[in-house]
Amino acid sequence: MTAIEHKELKGITVKNLIVTIVSTASIVVSVMTTYFQLKNDIYYLKTQEETQSRINEIRLKVLESNVAVLQRQVDEIKNKKPIKNK
């Protein structure tokens, strides 16, 4: 131990104070790192959800147009008069 580490302030050694500060800083860094990772993950999931929603909307529009075409074809078939064979 160095001379400065032997000094005490109300029963707390400088060494213990340094260890406490470094440990607290380490915990803060760890928590902040986890926070930013989670923040990025949430942003990525939100972006993916929005993209999937847009894809689903496009698919729905395509299906609706296909249904409209098929409905017109069904109506045309219904409106045709059967040809009588002689």
Side-chain angles (χ1 to χ4, degrees):
M1 291 173 117
T2 63
I4 196 166
E5 290 175 338
H6 287 291
K7 292 186 178 182
E8 291 187 17
L9 179 66
K10 294 186 180 180
I12 300 173
T13 63
V14 173
K15 180 181 178 182
N16 288 344
L17 191 59
I18 291 172
V19 169
T20 302
I21 291 171
V22 170
S23 297
T24 303
S26 173
I27 292 169
V28 168
V29 168
S30 176
V31 168
M32 288 179 65
T33 302
T34 302
Y35 168 78
F36 287 117
Q37 286 175 347
L38 288 173
K39 185 177 176 182
N40 287 337
D41 289 346
I42 289 170
Y43 176 77
Y44 174 75
L45 289 173
K46 182 179 176 184
T47 305
Q48 289 294 103
E49 183 180 339
E50 288 173 356
T51 303
Q52 190 63 44
S53 178
R54 289 182 189 141
I55 290 170
N56 288 340
E57 287 175 11
I58 292 169
R59 286 178 178 166
L60 182 60
K61 288 179 182 180
V62 169
L63 288 173
E64 287 173 345
S65 65
N66 288 345
V67 167
V69 169
L70 291 172
Q71 186 62 46
R72 275 189 243 123
Q73 290 175 350
V74 167
D75 291 342
E76 288 174 8
I77 292 171
K78 283 182 180 179
N79 292 334
K80 283 187 181 179
K81 294 181 181 178
I83 302 173
K84 295 182 181 177
N85 291 332
K86 294 186 178 181

